[in-house]
Amino acid sequence: MSGGKMLRQFHFWVLAALATVLLSGCGSDYLVLNPKGPVAETQYNLIVISVILCAVIIVPVLAITAFIVYRYRDTPKNKAPYKPDWAHSTTLEVIWWGIPVIIIAILGYFTVRDTYVLKESPNQEVKPITIQVTALDWKWMFTYPEQNVATVNYLEIPAGVPVRFQVSAEAPMNSFWVPELGGQIYAMSGMATELYLQADEPGEFQGFSANFSGEGFAHMQFKVVAKPQNEFDQWVQQVKGTAPAMTKQDYEELKKPGLTEKKMYSAFPEGLFEEIVQKYSHGHDMHHVMDPVAPAAQTGEKKEETSHETHQMSDMSNMPGMDHSGMKH
């Protein structure tokens, strides 16, 4: 293959790659790259830092590779020197091992730093609200323990207020994800994972299931609406005044495999989320996640007492004739 033809092919593939990237911007927004809250902003910055650090390695390597392919191409007219006896260069060894090590160390620092930051509430000056998330087949149920309302496939939150999500599942393993507000977290039966998110301003955001979980997975989406605090409070009162209360029978119907539209409930059975988690926990203590009071705010005596009570409930659930709530059949 002649050098001119090889160069033309190289230009073609570069232009094709650029067109793919640039024209893809004509479609829907890149939700992950459109942060609307402090958690998503932190993760977005980490993505940008990672891309820049990776580019420091990848771009020179690709450029040098292209140069070598062209410079030392096997053609009669190519006069590039050929030195097969060259074997070692300490300077080059230091460069191509030292730079990646330094970049990995920098990337590791930012990753560890942001990981610990994202474990805490994004706004320590504002009290977060708690919302319990349960993944069902194939729908999302949200219970608000402080407001005592529940929704299905619809989530309303106050703007500018941190939201502490407690996430579990009564279905196959799933993943709760609102890309514009933050990263995903897994929903697993018998476990309660925790995630903080916050919307800086009022708006509507799309929520997804980010883990394949069966036939209805593609339709397992929900809308997130962020409103000012007073409008959120009005919405809660509206739901309480117009929607029916969720009964145990309603929940039994909800958890059956199938799709459903948006639903709202003016109340839900007390301790429903805790019962769902404990049903599959096999005696593991989930109190540190399900307790609305942060563990750091408890005294050592209180921690020991609550832990003892949880183990007592676990032991009772294993007794013959007792269910997971500690009640006789």
Side-chain angles (χ1 to χ4, degrees):
M1 181 183 294
S2 65
K5 187 175 181 181
M6 179 182 294
L7 186 60
R8 286 194 298 272
Q9 287 192 354
F10 175 76
H11 287 165
F12 169 80
W13 289 111
V14 170
L15 291 174
L18 288 175
T20 301
V21 173
L22 295 176
L23 293 177
S24 62
C26 298
S28 58
D29 292 337
Y30 292 104
L31 299 181
V32 176
L33 304 180
N34 186 33
K36 297 297 184 180
V39 175
E41 185 73 31
T42 299
Q43 295 172 341
Y44 171 79
N45 292 336
L46 184 58
I47 291 173
V48 172
I49 292 172
S50 302
V51 169
I52 293 173
L53 291 174
C54 291
V56 171
I57 297 178
I58 294 174
V59 171
V61 168
L62 293 178
I64 293 173
T65 301
F67 169 77
I68 291 174
V69 169
Y70 177 76
R71 181 71 177 86
Y72 298 98
R73 64 197 185 281
D74 186 14
T75 61
K77 296 181 179 181
N78 187 11
K79 304 301 181 180
Y82 177 60
K83 298 179 180 180
D85 296 331
W86 180 83
H88 178 76
S89 171
T90 302
T91 302
L92 290 178
E93 290 284 349
V94 171
I95 291 174
W96 60 51
W97 285 106
I99 292 177
V101 168
I102 293 172
I103 289 175
I104 291 172
I106 296 173
L107 182 59
Y109 164 76
F110 284 109
T111 302
V112 172
R113 183 198 66 178
D114 291 347
T115 298
Y116 278 95
V117 167
L118 295 175
K119 285 292 293 180
E120 305 295 334
S121 172
N123 188 347
Q124 299 293 333
E125 298 179 358
V126 179
K127 179 183 178 182
I129 70 167
T130 298
I131 298 178
Q132 298 161 334
V133 183
T134 305
L136 304 172
D137 277 332
W138 290 277
K139 56 196 78 77
W140 292 99
M141 182 180 73
F142 304 99
T143 50
Y144 297 68
E146 298 163 4
Q147 290 76 24
N148 193 32
V149 297
T151 60
V152 176
N153 291 339
Y154 179 79
L155 179 62
E156 192 145 322
I157 60 175
V161 177
V163 182
R164 177 179 179 243
F165 289 100
Q166 299 171 323
V167 185
S168 190
E170 185 156 13
M173 181 176 174
N174 219 302
S175 181
F176 173 76
W177 191 27
V178 186
E180 291 175 283
L181 299 183
Q184 63 87 30
I185 192 166
Y186 285 112
M188 296 172 280
S189 300
M191 297 186 67
T193 50
E194 186 177 73
L195 174 69
Y196 280 98
L197 297 179
Q198 177 180 317
D200 283 336
E201 298 176 355
E204 294 187 1
F205 315 102
Q206 191 64 39
F208 300 92
S209 163
N211 194 78
F212 182 75
S213 57
E215 180 182 359
F217 154 76
H219 305 284
M220 198 171 171
Q221 302 180 9
F222 57 95
K223 180 185 290 187
V224 182
V225 178
K227 292 182 177 180
Q229 182 68 58
N230 61 328
E231 294 185 21
F232 172 77
D233 295 336
Q234 293 173 8
W235 171 78
V236 171
Q237 294 306 316
Q238 178 185 358
V239 173
K240 286 182 174 294
T242 59
M246 179 192 295
T247 64
K248 280 294 186 69
Q249 290 74 20
D250 292 330
Y251 176 71
E252 292 298 322
E253 288 297 319
L254 274 177
K255 74 177 186 179
K256 292 180 180 178
L259 303 178
T260 187
E261 299 297 326
K262 178 178 74 174
K263 294 178 180 291
M264 299 186 186
Y265 298 94
S266 59
F268 60 92
E270 184 177 357
L272 177 61
F273 180 79
E274 291 79 5
E275 181 180 328
I276 294 170
V277 176
Q278 293 292 347
K279 185 186 301 184
Y280 304 102
S281 66
H282 305 294
H284 295 294
D285 184 5
M286 291 289 106
H287 191 275
H288 64 288
V289 175
M290 294 189 293
D291 189 350
V293 180
Q298 298 181 3
T299 64
E301 181 179 353
K302 181 65 176 178
K303 287 183 181 178
E304 183 177 353
E305 177 184 345
T306 53
S307 177
H308 178 68
E309 290 174 353
T310 305
H311 286 297
Q312 279 188 327
M313 290 294 293
S314 174
D315 292 338
M316 291 176 62
S317 66
N318 293 326
M319 294 174 60
M322 304 291 283
D323 63 15
H324 288 274
S325 64
M327 302 298 292
K328 292 184 177 180
H329 295 302

